[in-house]
Amino acid sequence: MNTLQHHLFKSKLFQIANIQFLVQLKLIFIYLLFTAHFLYSADENVSKKNELSKLELIENALESINKKLSPENSIWLKSYSNYNLYLEIEKKLEKIEKDIVKYGEIKNLVNNRELLTQQLQLFGEHVSPFEKLLQPPTVEPSQIISNPFAIISAFSKINQNNQHRQNYLKRYEDLNKIVSLLQDRLKYLTQKDDMDNATLKALKREITDFEIALSTIEKTLEIFNRKIDEVNLEIKDRIAEHSKTLISLGITIAVIIALSFLSKWLIGRYLKDNRRIYMSNKAVNVIMITIIFFIILFTYLENINNIVTILGFASAGLAIAMKDGFTSFFAWFVIIFGGIIKVGDRIKVSMSGNTYVGDILDISLLRITLQEDITFTSYETNRRAGRIIFVPNSYIFSNIIANYTHYTLRTVWDGIDIMITFDSNHKKASHIMKEIVKTFASGYTDMTRTQLNSLRDKYDLRNTNVEPRMFTFIDTYGIKLSIWYLTNAYGTLILRSNISAKIIDAFNAESDIKIAFPTQTINIVSKNVQDSPNNININ
């Protein structure tokens, strides 16, 4: 192959190589073109998907915000909704009024006017949407604590003020949350392309109204907190002041009670008579209660003239309504200071046809308490004993009280009657009875003589004979012998029983003394015998 052919061959090979390169380059361009188209389509799809996802997020967020801003969930939103409804009704009413002026009193217009007027009346007057909600609760000024019960009221007032503070703070927090939600709603709505300006404008006006209310309540809350802190501090100071008074009063009362216990201990130590100890302890109790009463009265007494006036009217009313109670209360003073009866005395009272003999257990402000004992009255009349009898103190003003143990006396006269036949030796029987009684009652006779001598200092005694007394009477069925002697006032039946048994034994031992009992004589006349009738005694 010559040189020319060789060059031609190389040139042809070069052309072929260039053609192949161009084909490959074209294929690469086409590939790149398809790749770019695919990538562009993919980006466009992603962009559309992102745009759809963003709209869904906005709608979801708005749906959540709308649920939270429902008027049913907040009093602020409810009040604002009612205010807007009120304005809407008011505008409708104004339009109807203009139509009535323009077209006359048309029935349909008049009816609508009356209906809208009634609706406005139901709403009441609405000057602003949050007028009532912005007003804080009323904080009353602290009151003077004049008694221990007022301390409880004072603590209750502090708790009430703190509760008002919490409630008003809760209002502020709710309003702040609502403003934040409204601002979020505006932010999301502005991101939507299809939102109209009227909706956004109404929302901005609503946000402005709520922001003004929020600014107002922030300032009011600060002032309200200061007012509550001031009132609570004043109440605490007055509680502390009155607590000091209570502590002083408590110490004073404790000292008085301690002195009363000391007095009772000294009384029990140096007095031996139980009745005197009881009455002395009773007097100590009355004095202690009276002193404590007046200390408490003058501690909390602000105006004595008012107290006297009130007590005067109250006493007059109570005296009429509780006449018996006041009479018994007054009788208590007569009993205690008059010395008619005292605790431990044995007395006899008659009430409602019944007679009771018993020992005084207690004399309270309203009644006398008796313990009924076994006496001749219970043996002969009641056949009951041991009962507790309550006698009103007023009893002493309208009835007679028989006191068996007045002052120093502890004995009473008791008598035994016994009937003997007319043919009995009544002088001998009288002598026997008198000797028996002297033997059994000698101790009580001497005791009574001493008691009467002590009683001469209080009363003008004329008859001081204390010896047993014997009386003889003619009776229906025989001769009645009555012996009287002094006996213990608390045990008359025991001595009566012992003496009676001894007299019966002594009479039965004598042949010329017979105890009499009701007898009857029957005369029987025989028809066959003309002699004097037989006398038959039937006992």
Side-chain angles (χ1 to χ4, degrees), residues 424-436:
S424 296
N425 189 345
H426 65 88
K427 292 182 179 180
K428 185 178 180 181
S430 297
H431 177 74
I432 293 173
M433 289 180 65
K434 197 167 186 178
E435 291 299 321
I436 292 174

Side-chain angles (χ1 to χ4, degrees), residues 96-148:
I96 290 176
E97 291 286 355
K98 292 179 181 179
D99 292 341
I100 291 176
V101 173
K102 184 177 181 180
Y103 301 108
E105 296 284 340
I106 300 175
K107 184 176 181 181
N108 188 26
L109 293 176
V110 172
N111 291 338
N112 289 336
R113 181 179 63 180
E114 292 179 357
L115 179 61
L116 293 175
T117 303
Q118 292 176 359
Q119 291 176 356
L120 287 179
Q121 290 176 352
L122 291 175
F123 278 106
E125 186 178 358
H126 277 69
V127 179
S128 68
F130 310 120
E131 180 183 7
K132 294 182 179 179
L133 294 176
L134 291 175
Q135 292 179 355
T138 303
V139 180
E140 298 179 358
S142 60
Q143 302 293 329
I144 296 176
I145 299 177
S146 58
N147 58 78

Side-chain angles (χ1 to χ4, degrees), residues 485-503:
Y485 55 90
L486 288 164
T487 182
N488 183 6
Y490 297 98
T492 55
L493 282 183
I494 296 175
L495 189 60
R496 174 191 282 261
S497 175
N498 293 334
I499 293 176
S500 297
K502 193 67 177 177
I503 291 174

